[in-house]
């Protein structure tokens, strides 16, 4: 039987709806917060990847969250081929109204409301009686339906909810007009067999469950998020919620790239389709790493540096004779290609702008000028300039031109003879300021100079250095994590000079902290 869906029309029963929550569940986890510009870029990349629904944020959580969901609805959401733009809400009236208001501009929109249904959560977290929770389900879904036809309802902690009560809540949500029913494994507790049992139960016991889209949302606390996702679609679930690189609360969510490639590679056992263009997977994964400053582990399936690297001689020999001997999917199919040699020092402005466009950047003339100057500078210092170098410099410079503190220059003396000394110039709110400092090493001296120019109380809790590409002339990519009054931010910097990259990362983190200070409301816990 096929389902008539408000956003997708008559649904092909073999089509899986890909719901991406990188910008919501992913973004709310420590170290992965993104600013408005970064969220817009991720949303564009997700749309290009071919996801069906983008959960763009949690509008009530903070003014910044509200603005970013609205901005995505106003830009991406205006295109004819836009994914559905979704906003999350708890069950209260204000929550639902904030979500409704934020997604309103989008051509295709969804409100996603949730409430905890497990005995444990109802008693200790909500302090509500089951009947009150049931009423809240009806009220929130009814209210949401007054603002969109496409409404999703989630039973938070659904996999630890008592069977009869779960069925009653799902029934209430469907009767009130929910068109997607999501049963999250919020705490990452379920086994694949639990998922199969719960969804089969809902389908057989709840009237109308076969007329809505069932959805699965899995956390990876036991490393089972993708396995649980596949178990759910095996019994008729047709929407999967996942994130790029598997980011999300605690151990993260089901990884989109893994779930999609499992479906594609094992289509013999999972004869279902989806709209993801798998060749874009690596690109989106790298974009997220660049924005957040966190690379995936080398052995990460699909997108890790070693995912297609064959080290054992016997394996290499086999792959050279016939790749299928040790490769179940081709590197090409998920976007692994050799780095492109892009531009040289003689490349012109037009070629540079073209390159930025193909890399997914829309820049104004001023931003182009700034980026082009920086590119020329790198082209002078580096033998070859790769796509990754361009991405690093644009992210580092152009995407931050609205920030209060800006890097101007740095002169460092270090070595084994004299104590390291850093002379630094920054622009703070448009005024150039400078300082000179000594330190235990060149990075320490530089960070002390920043402290002198812009006094602050944040503590440095993480400092890491990586390389953008290979070779000794590669740009350094640095991450600095600062902590202030329990708030944590990560900053990134890139430069052929490691110390300059470190200064840029520190300044980026400071700017993020200034933005975060402005956020007053606590971010709510959620499904
Ligand atoms: Mn979650």
């Amino acid at each position: 039987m096929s389902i008539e869906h408000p956003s997708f029309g008559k649904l092909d029963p073999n089509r899986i709806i890909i719901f991406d929550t990188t910008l919501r569940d992913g973004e709310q986890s420590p170290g992965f917060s993104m600013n408005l510009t970064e969220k817009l870029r991720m949303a564009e990349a997700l749309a290009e990847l071919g996801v069906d629904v983008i959960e763009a944020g949690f509008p009530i959580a903070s003014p910044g969250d509200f603005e970013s969901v609205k901005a995505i609805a106003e830009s991406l959401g205006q295109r004819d081929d836009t994914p559905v733009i979704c906003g999350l809400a708890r069950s209260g009236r204000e929550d639902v109204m904030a979500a409704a208001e934020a997604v309103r501009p989008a051509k295709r929109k969804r409100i996603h409301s949730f409430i905890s249904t497990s005995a444990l959560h109802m008693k200790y977290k909500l302090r509500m009686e089951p009947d009150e929770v049931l009423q809240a389900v009806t009220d929130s879904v009814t209210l949401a339906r007054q603002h969109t036809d496409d409404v999703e309802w989630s039973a938070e902690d659904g996999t630890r909810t008592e069977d009869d009560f779960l069925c009653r809540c799902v029934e209430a949500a469907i009767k009130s007009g929910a068109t997607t029913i999501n049963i999250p494994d919020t705490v990452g507790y379920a086994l694949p067999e639990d998922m199969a049992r719960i969804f089969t139960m809902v389908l057989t016991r709840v009237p109308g469950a076969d007329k809505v889209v069932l959805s699965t949302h899995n956390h990876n606390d036991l490393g089972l998020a993708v396995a649980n996702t596949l178990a759910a679609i095996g019994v008729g679930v047709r929407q999967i919620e996942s994130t790029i690189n598997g980011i999300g609360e605690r151990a993260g969510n089901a990884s989109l790239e893994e779930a999609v490639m499992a479906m594609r590679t094992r289509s013999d056992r999972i004869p279902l389709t989806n709209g993801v263009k798998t060749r874009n997977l690596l690109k989106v994964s790298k974009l997220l790493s660049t924005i957040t400053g966190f690379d995936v582990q080398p052995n990460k399936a699909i997108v890790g540096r070693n995912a297609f690297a064959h080290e054992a001689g016997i394996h290499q020999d086999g792959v050279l004779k016939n790749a299928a001997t040790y490769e179940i999917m081709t590197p090409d199919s998920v976007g692994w290609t050799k780095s492109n040699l892009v531009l040289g020092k003689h490349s012109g402005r037009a070629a540079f702008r073209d390159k930025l466009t193909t890399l997914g950047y829309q820049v104004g003339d001023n931003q182009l000028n700034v980026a082009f100057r920086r590119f020329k500078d790198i082209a002078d210092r580096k033998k070859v300039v790769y796509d990754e170098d361009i991405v690093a410099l644009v992210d580092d410079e152009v995407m931050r031109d609205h920030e209060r503190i800006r890097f101007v220059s740095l002169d460092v003396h270090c070595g084994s003879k004299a104590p390291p000394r850093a002379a630094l110039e920054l622009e703070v709110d448009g005024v150039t300021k400078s300082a000179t400092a000594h330190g235990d090493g060149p990075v320490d001296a530089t960070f002390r100079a920043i402290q002198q120019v812009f006094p602050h109380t944040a503590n440095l809790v993480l400092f890491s250095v990586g390389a953008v590409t290979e070779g000794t002339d590669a740009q350094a990519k640095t991450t600095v994590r600062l902590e202030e009054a329990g708030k944590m931010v990560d900053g990134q910097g890139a430069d052929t000079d490691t110390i300059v990259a470190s200064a840029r990362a520190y300044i980026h983190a400071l700017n993020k902290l200034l933005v975060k200070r402005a956020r007053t409301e606590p971010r709510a816990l959620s499904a």
Side-chain angles (χ1 to χ4, degrees), residues 298-475:
N299 60 318
K300 166 80 171 65
I302 317 297
V303 294
R305 177 158 34 91
N306 292 354
F308 293 90
H310 303 280
E311 185 65 28
I314 198 165
H315 288 202
Q316 288 178 344
D317 182 54
V319 168
L320 287 174
K321 286 172 176 154
N322 180 342
T325 51
Y326 286 95
E327 272 180 10
I328 57 167
M329 51 196 162
T330 65
D332 213 36
S333 65
V334 298
W336 285 97
T337 47
K338 253 193 134 33
S339 284
N340 292 324
L341 170 61
V342 284
L343 300 165
K345 60 199 258 184
H346 302 297
S347 303
R349 197 172 295 254
F352 184 68
R353 171 170 264 172
D354 268 0
K355 191 69 200 175
L356 292 186
T357 309
T358 53
L359 290 172
Y361 296 99
Q362 306 294 330
V363 297
D365 286 341
N366 279 345
Q367 292 178 319
L368 180 72
N369 288 341
V370 174
F372 189 64
R373 212 178 308 131
R374 186 92 187 268
F375 158 70
K376 283 287 188 187
D377 184 37
I378 284 177
D380 273 342
R381 285 189 277 163
K382 229 173 150 299
K383 287 185 213 91
V384 285
V385 181
Y386 296 99
D387 283 2
E388 289 90 332
D389 290 313
I390 307 275
V391 168
L393 88 85
V394 176
D395 285 336
D396 192 67
E397 185 89 33
V398 180
M399 307 314 284
R400 301 188 191 159
D401 59 2
H402 54 282
E403 293 182 338
R404 283 185 58 194
I405 311 170
R406 305 193 61 191
F407 175 84
V408 179
S409 74
L410 178 65
D411 184 31
V412 174
H413 291 266
C414 63
S416 58
K417 288 187 173 172
R421 184 178 63 85
L424 174 79
E425 261 189 315
L426 299 181
E427 200 180 285
V428 182
D429 295 326
V431 180
T432 305
K433 297 184 173 181
S434 60
T436 301
H438 292 276
D440 292 337
V443 174
D444 186 46
T446 302
F447 290 177
R448 282 169 192 262
I450 295 173
Q451 174 71 248
Q452 281 184 30
V453 174
F454 191 86
H456 55 275
T457 55
N459 294 315
L460 175 70
V461 290
L462 182 148
F463 171 62
S464 79
V465 182
V468 173
T469 56
E470 289 165 6
T472 52
D473 68 343
Q475 288 196 82

Side-chain angles (χ1 to χ4, degrees), residues 43 49 63 85 116 149 160 173 217 265 318 334 357 439 446 473 486 515:
L49 179 65
I85 309 297
S116 287
D149 289 337
R160 294 194 301 171
H217 174 112
T265 306
V334 298
T357 309
T446 302
D473 68 343
V515 174

Side-chain angles (χ1 to χ4, degrees), residues 24-25 28 184 186 217 219 249 253 526-527:
R24 201 280 299 167
D25 206 317
Q28 74 187 31
T186 305
H217 174 112
H219 280 272
E249 290 280 6
N253 286 74
S526 65

Side-chain angles (χ1 to χ4, degrees), residues 2-81:
S2 72
I3 298 165
E4 191 66 31
H5 189 277
S7 291
F8 304 112
K10 202 173 165 63
L11 287 175
D12 172 351
N14 295 322
R15 172 70 152 74
I16 296 292
I17 295 167
I18 305 289
F19 176 108
D20 182 277
T21 186
T22 306
L23 295 174
R24 201 280 299 167
D25 206 317
E27 200 265 348
Q28 74 187 31
S29 54
F32 288 96
S33 61
M34 300 173 217
N35 65 28
L36 177 62
T37 319
E38 293 164 344
K39 285 183 186 174
L40 280 167
R41 279 182 62 214
M42 267 313 290
E44 295 270 344
L46 289 166
E48 203 187 322
L49 179 65
V51 307
D52 301 293
V53 184
I54 293 177
E55 186 162 59
F58 195 172
I60 196 82
S62 74
D65 280 48
F66 180 90
E67 286 310 323
S68 53
V69 175
K70 187 156 171 260
I72 290 168
E74 282 170 346
S75 54
L76 180 63
Q78 301 310 306
R79 291 192 204 156
D80 289 335
D81 60 347

